[in-house]
Amino acid sequence: MRDYPLLRMNIYQPRILRFDSIASTNLEAVKRAVEGASEGLCIVASEQTAGRGRLQRQWISPKGAGLYFSILLRPRIDQSAWPLITLMASLAVHDALLEACSLRTDIKWPNDILANNRKLCGILAETTETAATGEKSDIPKRAVILGIGINLTSAALLPDLLDSATSVESATGKEPDLEVVLQALIRALERHYMTLQSSRGLEEIIRAWSERSSYAQGKRISVSNGDVILEGTTRGLESDGALRLETATGEIRLVRAGDVTAVRASSV
Ligand code: BTN
C-alpha cells in the first residue's frame, strides 16, 4: 500500500493547530502549505474575523458558534479528478454529523450540507503550491486546502439568513460538543480520502455521494452561473463530479459550476 501521511495521523494526537481568533483558517492553511507543511495538518479556530465563502462571499464566524476548520491535503490523484475532493469532503461531513449528533443531512450539489432544506455547512476548497526550494522530493508540491464551516449553534446564523440557514442545535434541539464533531470529522475525512485515492476510488466516491444526496437523481433544480440560469431535472453525476441536468427539451447538460436551488413543483 502507498504511504499516506494523513492516515498515519493518530486521531488522539492529531496535528491540529488551534487559534482563539484568526482571520481565516483557510488563509492560515494556505500559508503553511506554501511553506511546505505536510498533508493532514488541521487548523481550527473559535472565531474567524474574515471567514471566506464560495464565490467571494463572507463566512460569518462568531466565537464558539461554529466549527471553523481547514485541512491541508496533497492528493496523488490526477488533477482532472480534483473536483471529487469537495464531494469527498461533503461525504465526510455527512457521516460525521450522523455519527456525532445522530443528524441525517442532505447534500446539495456540489457540497452544501442541508438539514430541513436549509444550509448547515459550507465547504470551500482552495489550491496552492509549496514554494520552490530547489530540493528534490517525491511529496506533491500541489496542495488542496479544504475549509469546512459547520453552524453548530443558532448564534452562527444572521437574522436575514434564518430562512435559508440552520444549525446543528436547531436541527437536533441539542447543542453539539465541538470536540466530538471535530474528531468524527477527521476520522471520516481520513476514511473517505483513503477511498478516493484507492483504485476505483473515484467511482466509489460518486456512488457514496449519490446514495446520500437527494440532488443526485430526479430533483427539479435551477442553476445560476453569472447571468445564465438553467432549469431541469438531475440525472446523476459524471465521472468527474459534474451534475447531469435534463432540460425541458430532453437535452442533457453538464453542470460544473454555479449555485443550485431546488425548484418546487407548481401546484395547478
Ligand atoms: C461556502 O460558501 O459555502 C463555503 C464556506 C466555507 C467556510 C469555511 S469556515 C472554515 C474555512 N475558513 C474559511 O475562511 N472558510 C472555510
Side-chain angles (χ1 to χ4, degrees), residues 23-27 48 50-54 57 59 61 67-70 111-112 119 121-124 147-149:
S24 153
T25 56
N26 262 33
L27 275 184
Q48 297 185 116
R52 290 141 71 99
R54 286 175 64 223
R57 293 177 187 139
W59 187 260
S61 314
L67 176 59
Y68 315 120
F69 168 89
S70 298
N111 52 35
D112 282 348
K119 183 161 165 174
C121 163
I123 297 171
L124 174 68
I148 299 176

